[in-house]
Structure formats: C-alpha cells, structure tokens
Amino acid sequence: MTQESKLKVVCFFAHPDDEAFGSGGTLAELVRKGHQVANVCATNGDVGEISDPSLATPENLWKIRQGELRAAMQITGVPDVRFLGYRDSGMDGTDDNKNPTSLFQADVSKVQTQIAGIIDELQPDMVITHDPTGGYGHPDHVTVNQHVTSVIDSMGTNRPHLYYVCFPKSNFRKLWQQMTETGITPPFAKDLLDEIGSPDDYMTTVRDVTDYVQIKKASLACHQTQLDPKGPFSALAPEFMSEWMATEYFYLTPSHDDGNHQKDYLTSL
C-alpha cells in the first residue's frame, strides 16, 4: 500500500470498551492494512461495572479503565488513544446524569471545540462514532453521536466520511434468543428489544470481519472490569459469540459534497 492510499481514521466513543463489539474487527483490519487509526474516548467510564473487587474500586475505576483501553488498543494496533476527560454519565435517569462533571452536563461548545480540535489536528478521511440510538440508548453514546455529527456537519463540503456503528434490532433478538434457549437470563427484558438497536434497513455497510475476530476478542478481554465471568455474555458458547462478533454494521451518513465524496471506504478496504 502506498503512503498516498492510506486512510486516516478517528473514532469517537463514549466509554472504554465501546469500540469493542461493534467495530473492533474493522479497527484491527484498518490497522493491519496500513491505515492510521486514533481512538478518542469521551469519558473515563467512572460508573461502569466492577466485575471483580480485586480489579478496581469505585474511586479508581476511571484510571483502571483508561489502562484497559490502552491495553486493548495495543492488541488492536491503535497507537493513538486519547481521552476528553469527562465523567461517565451513567444510565438514563440515574443521579450520575446530574453530576456537573459528567459528559451529559458538559458545556456543548466546550465538548464540540475539543472534537473539532482533534479533527483539525488529525485531518481524518473517516470518522467513526455511535449511531443516533446509542445502541441501547446510553445517554453518553447519544451525546457523543450528537456532538460529533454537529461538528462534522458544520464543516460543509470539506468534511470526512462519517460512519455510525450500528447494532441491528435483529442482532439483539438473535442474541437474546440464544440466551433464552440455553437457559441464560438476558441482561434486560425481551419486551425492551423493540426499543434498542438500529432498524435492520438502516445500515449502508455490512462487514465480514471473521479474519479479525480473534484479535477483536483478545482486545475485548482487556476490559476486565466490565467482563463478568458469571454474566450472560460469558455464559454463551464461544463458537456462537465468535459467529455473532464476525459481522459489523455501519451507516455512512449523507454528504453535502458530490458523489465522489460518498465512496464507501469500509466496503472497499
């Protein structure tokens, strides 16, 4: 691959580990094909789970999760890892939403100035972030989507390709069905499935990352504090999880530019 044909890619995600399930294989493939990738994390994941009390405390979880993301990205091959430094906002309706240091409460212009500064510095051809649903509706996911989209839309025609990471509704149903059939209690009720995920016809780009699943799984394993060894995902058969993780879904947002700008980079990798 020539220097001229290499892409510059910047990912904006809300928490350490958000890159893993939905785009970990694609990030690994980008790196191994010579493209430059940076991963920007908006929060430190302060109020995430602690799978084992020996790994972290509520007071130092943010620092541990930063280290987990750096370790994960070392396996994926992403050398540039950055944090915007906001506190995790927690799930919708919790007291963490009201914390003045949380991303949810942060000044919009400040956050967008940080994002714009990174885009201006790195000059990416492609930006990857959460879709408008936030996958399962997490306030931080939705907020990051809104901020990144706003910044890129403000760039007019001179903007990078903007991809949203998607989780199709049918994928969630497939996962929940497998759990139910094997006697595993899903992490939330089946009657909520219609409220999470992207519509199945929303995606523009479906990617087979089978060749990168083992890297993806090894990178995910670095997020130890978030992986409950007794949780529903850990209880699923490894073969099923490998198959489920082998396909990744994206939405390429429309451009204000001409047709040439709409080349789907992720399809032509």
Side-chain angles (χ1 to χ4, degrees):
M1 174 175 289
T2 65
Q3 184 68 33
E4 291 75 17
S5 63
K6 290 182 180 178
L7 296 170
K8 290 184 285 186
V9 183
V10 178
C11 305
F12 290 95
F13 291 113
H15 311 102
D17 80 4
D18 282 341
E19 83 291 339
F21 273 111
S23 61
T26 294
L27 300 188
E29 182 174 0
L30 282 164
V31 169
R32 280 152 187 79
K33 291 187 173 178
H35 305 293
Q36 295 176 233
V37 182
N39 187 9
V40 182
C41 192
T43 82
N44 301 316
D46 315 61
V47 297
E49 300 293 330
I50 300 177
S51 63
D52 182 338
S54 69
L55 295 174
T57 65
E59 292 72 30
N60 72 4
L61 179 60
W62 69 271
K63 182 180 289 187
I64 300 300
R65 292 195 71 184
Q66 282 194 351
E68 289 177 342
L69 180 58
R70 291 191 177 97
M73 290 300 90
Q74 190 168 18
I75 289 174
T76 301
V78 175
D80 190 347
V81 180
R82 308 184 186 198
F83 293 86
L84 298 186
Y86 294 98
R87 189 178 190 275
D88 186 339
S89 306
M91 293 300 293
D92 191 30
T94 65
D95 289 341
D96 292 303
N97 291 168
K98 303 171 186 175
N99 191 298
T101 64
S102 70
L103 178 65
F104 198 60
Q105 296 295 332
D107 180 77
V108 170
S109 62
K110 178 185 176 183
V111 180
Q112 293 187 4
T113 296
Q114 288 177 284
I115 292 168
I118 292 171
I119 291 174
D120 185 57
E121 174 195 346
L122 298 180
Q123 293 290 301
D125 304 290
M126 182 195 316
V127 168
I128 298 173
T129 193
H130 302 280
D131 84 338
T133 73
Y136 56 94
H138 195 295
D140 285 334
H141 296 191
V142 174
T143 299
V144 169
N145 165 271
Q146 292 170 344
H147 287 326
V148 172
T149 301
S150 180
V151 168
I152 291 182
D153 281 349
S154 72
M155 298 173 70
T157 58
N158 185 30
R159 51 167 268 175
H161 285 51
L162 175 59
Y163 285 89
Y164 296 153
V165 177
C166 302
F167 292 93
K169 290 181 181 293
S170 62
N171 253 31
F172 279 113
R173 291 192 183 94
K174 179 180 179 182
L175 196 59
W176 263 233
Q177 181 180 1
Q178 180 69 15
M179 288 181 181
T180 303
E181 289 177 355
T182 53
I184 301 167
T185 301
F188 47 81
K190 276 189 173 182
D191 57 8
L192 295 177
L193 283 179
D194 287 337
E195 301 176 19
I196 62 172
S198 308
D200 287 352
D201 59 358
Y202 179 69
M203 281 65 68
T204 60
T205 310
V206 179
R207 308 204 67 251
D208 181 352
V209 295
T210 301
D211 292 343
Y212 303 92
V213 164
Q214 293 311 311
I215 298 170
K216 181 176 178 176
K217 292 175 81 171
S219 180
L220 175 63
C222 292
H223 298 286
Q224 288 183 283
T225 57
Q226 306 308 296
L227 297 174
D228 183 354
K230 297 180 181 178
F233 293 101
S234 300
L236 285 166
E239 300 80 17
F240 174 83
M241 285 305 296
S242 293
E243 178 187 352
W244 189 77
M245 294 171 71
T247 307
E248 294 178 349
Y249 305 85
F250 299 87
Y251 173 76
L252 174 58
T253 65
S255 167
H256 304 301
D257 208 341
D258 59 31
N260 291 330
H261 189 74
Q262 278 301 283
K263 176 181 178 182
D264 190 341
Y265 288 137
L266 290 184
T267 295
S268 57
L269 272 186

